[in-house]
Amino acid sequence: MTKNDIISELVRRTDLTKSQAIHAVEALVEIVGDALVKGDPILLRGFATIKTVKRAPKMARNIKQGTSVHIPSRRQVKFVAYNELQERINRYHEAIIY
């Protein structure tokens, strides 16, 4: 689902105009991004927690050159679905016959 898909769905489900929906989605993306940059978690009850976690430095192997490469520590975004969302996802996929 793209940003345009989200905007279209927001217009369909609410009484917002397309212009208002565009501003709302762009503001939400900016707010979430700013919070994650500062290290603040995003807690959306019943949906998920989005937070940054610190990854430890590690050594990796460049197979082609046969050398070791040091990967420094870094911050990474982690999405953790709440149980309600996870259950909805599993129920939906159990109903689909592959």
Side-chain angles (χ1 to χ4, degrees), residues 7-18 20-21 24:
I7 290 167
S8 297
E9 192 65 22
L10 190 58
V11 168
R12 189 181 72 74
R13 292 185 186 204
T14 66
D15 59 352
L16 294 176
T17 66
K18 185 165 184 171
Q20 291 170 327

Side-chain angles (χ1 to χ4, degrees), residues 44-60:
L44 301 171
R45 188 174 299 258
F47 180 66
T49 297
I50 306 168
K51 60 184 176 179
T52 57
V53 293
K54 186 174 183 178
R55 297 288 181 205
K58 63 182 179 179
M59 294 300 289

Side-chain angles (χ1 to χ4, degrees), residues 1-69:
M1 183 173 238
T2 66
K3 188 189 288 188
N4 283 332
D5 295 336
I6 293 169
I7 290 167
S8 297
E9 192 65 22
L10 190 58
V11 168
R12 189 181 72 74
R13 292 185 186 204
T14 66
D15 59 352
L16 294 176
T17 66
K18 185 165 184 171
S19 177
Q20 291 170 327
I22 289 169
H23 290 301
V25 170
E26 288 178 354
L28 179 63
V29 168
E30 187 175 322
I31 291 166
V32 169
D34 290 347
L36 292 172
V37 166
K38 290 190 281 184
D40 297 336
I42 309 297
L43 308 170
L44 301 171
R45 188 174 299 258
F47 180 66
T49 297
I50 306 168
K51 60 184 176 179
T52 57
V53 293
K54 186 174 183 178
R55 297 288 181 205
K58 63 182 179 179
M59 294 300 289
R61 190 105 173 109
N62 183 333
I63 297 173
K64 285 186 177 181
Q65 296 179 354
T67 59
S68 294
V69 179

Side-chain angles (χ1 to χ4, degrees), residues 74-86:
R74 59 192 170 99
R75 306 279 314 160
Q76 185 173 20
V77 176
K78 184 174 182 178
F79 179 93
V80 181
Y82 280 5
N83 287 338
E84 295 89 352
L85 176 61
Q86 195 64 52

